[in-house]
Amino acid sequence: MESAKSENTRNSQSSPSPGKEQPEAGYPSRLSLSLIALGLCLAVFCFALDQTIVANAIPRITDEFDSVADIGWYGSSFLLATSAFQLFYGTAYSYFSIKSTFLIATGLFELGSLLCAVAPSSTAFIIGRAVAGLGGSGIMGGALVIIAHSVPLRRRPLFIGAIGAMFGIASVCGPLLGGVFTDRLTWRWCFYINLPFGAITVIAVALFFKPPRRPAVDSLPFLTKMKKLDWLGMFFFVPSIVSLLLALQWGGSTYPWDSGRIIALFVVFAVLGFAFGFVEYKRKDQAILPPSIITQRSIAAAAWYSFFNGAAFLVVIYYTPLWHQVVRQVSAVESGIRLLPMIVGNVVMVMISGCLVTVIGYYAPFMLVSTILTPISEGLLSTWTVDATFSQWFGYEAFAGIAFGAGMQQPVMAVQTVLPIDQIPIGTSLVVFMQTLGAAVFVSVAQSVFSNQLIADLKQFAGLGGGGFNPTDFLSAGATNVFNKIPPQLVRPFLDAFNHAVTRVYIISICCSSLTLIGSLAMEYKSVKNGKKKEETAA
């Protein structure tokens, strides 16, 4: 009954009949709805694509900008901005015009994409990625809010499912498309592609979406709305996360771990993080991270699982193309094609697990299955050598894709099942936030481990400290350009060193996947069938 009441309360704000769902005639026409849905799907597709499309283009980007040391920031700058402002957009959609807020978010994402496409330097590229992440953080949640006000309740799951499918497909196909663009055109087309799709989204939403009337919110003065946003929480949260990532990015490579600068960054992260938690506790339901939601057992378990699962998955996605392009010396397109076993395995297993959850009703067992299988699959990836056979890299990648796919969507299912309908957008944003935050943190950790391990391995395996080649010079060279800077007799030792460094990175994924066990075991065993029957009975 609580779920139905929440839905009725929200619909009454945009309907003249209190307590009743908005009549069919109050929604967009079939043509308008089709165009709105098309625009939203394209926006979500581009946003999800940007999370992984750069993975296969990284070697060429580093060749052009001459800086392998920035690899971690190419991914984490986008993910940091996304995770830092995603929950903020949830509050913004509650108090400001849904249409205007979504269009602003889309505009920022498009601006960031343009900056990346025309970037003249590595620094400019990183800034563009951050701007794109700032805008992209409001796209997924905004798309779901717009669907909620454009589609009757009984038809809504179809459209939400389409948006979710678009997100999943784009996330796993990003590296392949990145390889195609990088080899056939230029890596800059990985970002140019967002511009026409974004234009369609802006036109569709601006012309055909009619935002709901919300008298209680619309009547508030602009300054009052601004005051309701959790600015104090954001003030502590953003620099706290930036300090953490800077410490992880610089520690052990740019500065020693025990240097004053790194220690200071960790201290700033801890102090501001504590202040953020205190502010959220005091603001309660007005916080960007409401304690009443995160303290629910299933939501906390879903958040924990998403944090470490997202971290493990993206580390594998980022460094597997690098292994293929450098160690196996294949093109960007070929390395993208070689990711197909993982991509296909992931997509197929996501679909199968979704069907099985629909039939069985329980999603928690699939999280546990994924928790068991993913560390095993990543352990197999860590056994790769320069001479790895086709069956080894193909089979291990396929196994990893299947292992991740079994549990990838289950935290979202938990949110959909245990929360009342009016809290589902906040819960969903929290899960996505934790997923992107985990990825942002551990991509930086992976880069630090990779850089330090590579330098150590070059000295140990190849003796490259002599002969006029300094191992640290590799960090300022492009990933594939390095073959032009080392003597031919040292190519094989270099490949052995590079292979070892990449496969050590997979140990990070093993650790993260193992930690998802806590979320899997803590998840409540609730059935989506019971939730559905209860909603239908209440309605």
Side-chain angles (χ1 to χ4, degrees):
M1 288 295 295
E2 183 181 3
S3 178
K5 289 179 181 178
S6 300
E7 175 68 13
N8 289 337
T9 300
R10 183 174 58 189
N11 285 331
S12 66
Q13 294 177 343
S14 57
S15 172
S17 301
K20 296 182 181 180
E21 188 177 32
Q22 188 174 347
E24 185 88 11
Y27 291 105
S29 66
R30 181 172 299 181
L31 176 60
S32 296
L33 179 58
S34 299
L35 293 172
I36 292 171
L38 173 63
L40 296 180
C41 285
L42 289 176
V44 171
F45 180 82
C46 290
F47 166 63
L49 201 66
D50 258 35
Q51 295 190 41
T52 56
I53 195 172
V54 73
N56 241 345
I58 281 177
R60 294 294 178 83
I61 296 174
T62 59
D63 285 349
E64 182 166 335
F65 295 145
D66 292 327
S67 182
V68 171
D70 287 340
I71 285 178
W73 281 110
Y74 294 163
S76 61
S77 58
F78 179 83
L79 295 169
L80 168 62
T82 300
S83 59
F85 291 94
Q86 195 161 61
L87 296 177
F88 172 80
Y89 273 104
T91 308
Y93 280 117
S94 299
Y95 293 107
F96 292 91
S97 167
I98 296 172
K99 176 189 285 189
S100 299
T101 304
F102 183 81
L103 292 177
I104 290 173
T106 304
L108 285 173
F109 176 76
E110 293 296 301
L111 175 62
S113 298
L114 180 61
L115 291 176
C116 290
V118 301
S121 66
S122 180
T123 301
F125 180 79
I126 293 172
I127 292 173
R129 292 284 286 166
V131 173
L134 174 61
S137 60
I139 288 179
M140 187 67 180
L144 295 175
V145 171
I146 290 175
I147 287 296
H149 290 284
S150 302
V151 184
L153 177 61
R154 64 182 181 276
R155 296 170 54 199
R156 205 170 297 161
L158 175 63
F159 289 85
I160 293 177
I163 290 176
M166 192 67 69
F167 186 92
I169 292 172
S171 296
V172 295
C173 288
L176 177 58
L177 292 178
V180 172
F181 287 137
T182 301
D183 264 17
R184 303 300 182 189
L185 297 169
T186 169
W187 62 263
R188 296 179 184 274
W189 267 100
C190 294
F191 306 98
Y192 278 129
I193 190 177
N194 294 332
L195 302 183
F197 289 161
I200 295 174
T201 298
V202 170
I203 293 172
V205 173
L207 296 182
F208 299 102
F209 173 63
K210 299 185 183 302
R213 296 183 61 186
R214 301 176 294 177
V217 174
D218 296 340
S219 61
L220 295 175
F222 177 78
L223 291 179
T224 302
K225 294 179 182 180
M226 292 292 289
K227 290 179 181 178
K228 287 184 174 294
L229 299 180
D230 191 4
W231 296 108
L232 186 60
M234 292 297 297
F235 174 79
F236 290 118
F237 177 71
V238 173
S240 173
I241 297 301
V242 169
S243 298
L244 173 63
L245 287 180
L246 285 175
L248 295 173
Q249 181 77 12
W250 290 341
S253 55
T254 306
Y255 305 101
W257 284 109
D258 59 354
S259 70
R261 186 167 303 192
I262 300 300
I263 294 174
L265 286 171
F266 278 122
V267 170
V268 171
F269 159 70
V271 172
L272 294 183
F274 177 81
F276 169 73
F278 180 76
V279 169
E280 300 305 280
Y281 172 77
K282 286 296 185 180
R283 289 184 63 87
K284 299 188 183 301
D285 290 340
Q286 292 186 342
I288 59 173
L289 191 60
S292 61
I293 293 181
I294 188 61
T295 53
Q296 295 188 44
R297 175 179 161 184
S298 289
I299 303 304
W304 178 281
Y305 183 95
S306 297
F307 180 87
F308 289 104
N309 188 67
F313 182 68
L314 211 69
V315 167
V316 170
I317 287 294
Y318 262 83
Y319 281 88
T320 299
L322 194 64
W323 182 84
H324 280 295
Q325 291 188 46
V326 177
V327 176
R328 305 311 292 266
Q329 301 183 55
V330 300
S331 66
V333 169
E334 179 67 19
S335 68
I337 294 174
R338 291 188 176 201
L339 273 183
L340 282 176
M342 188 179 299
I343 293 172
V344 173
N346 183 270
V347 171
V348 169
M349 194 59 198
V350 166
M351 296 173 62
I352 292 176
S353 63
C355 293
L356 291 176
V357 169
T358 301
V359 174
I360 300 172
Y362 293 96
Y363 44 83
F366 293 93
M367 296 173 63
L368 186 58
V369 169
S370 181
T371 292
I372 295 171
L373 294 181
T374 47
I376 297 174
S377 67
E378 293 152 352
L380 292 173
L381 294 178
S382 70
T383 65
W384 277 346
T385 65
V386 176
D387 301 315
T389 64
F390 171 83
S391 59
Q392 286 177 321
W393 66 257
F394 185 97
Y396 297 169
E397 282 188 21
F399 183 24
I402 292 171
F404 277 111
M408 187 166 289
Q409 298 299 321
Q410 308 318 326
V412 177
M413 291 303 303
V415 169
Q416 297 285 332
T417 303
V418 304
L419 288 181
I421 196 168
D422 61 325
Q423 292 182 349
I424 285 177
I426 297 177
T428 302
S429 296
L430 174 61
V431 168
V432 178
F433 160 73
M434 294 300 291
Q435 185 177 21
T436 54
L437 178 62
V441 170
F442 282 96
V443 164
S444 293
V445 173
Q447 172 61 20
S448 178
V449 170
F450 170 75
S451 299
N452 295 330
Q453 187 67 55
L454 181 60
I455 292 175
D457 288 347
L458 287 174
K459 294 177 180 178
Q460 178 181 354
F461 295 164
L464 294 180
F469 187 90
N470 187 342
T472 58
D473 289 343
F474 175 77
L475 297 180
S476 61
T480 55
N481 280 345
V482 73
F483 293 109
N484 299 323
K485 298 188 176 183
I486 59 177
Q489 68 272 18
L490 293 179
V491 169
R492 176 59 192 230
F494 165 76
L495 292 178
D496 288 331
F498 195 96
N499 176 84
H500 186 257
V502 172
T503 53
R504 293 315 88 190
V505 168
Y506 290 143
I507 295 178
I508 297 174
S509 293
I510 296 174
C511 295
C512 290
S513 293
S514 299
L515 286 170
T516 62
L517 179 65
I518 297 175
S520 298
L521 294 179
M523 182 63 65
E524 297 172 285
Y525 273 67
K526 292 192 174 184
S527 173
V528 297
K529 291 183 177 181
N530 294 338
K532 181 178 181 181
K533 290 178 180 178
K534 186 181 296 184
E535 183 174 319
E536 290 175 349
T537 301

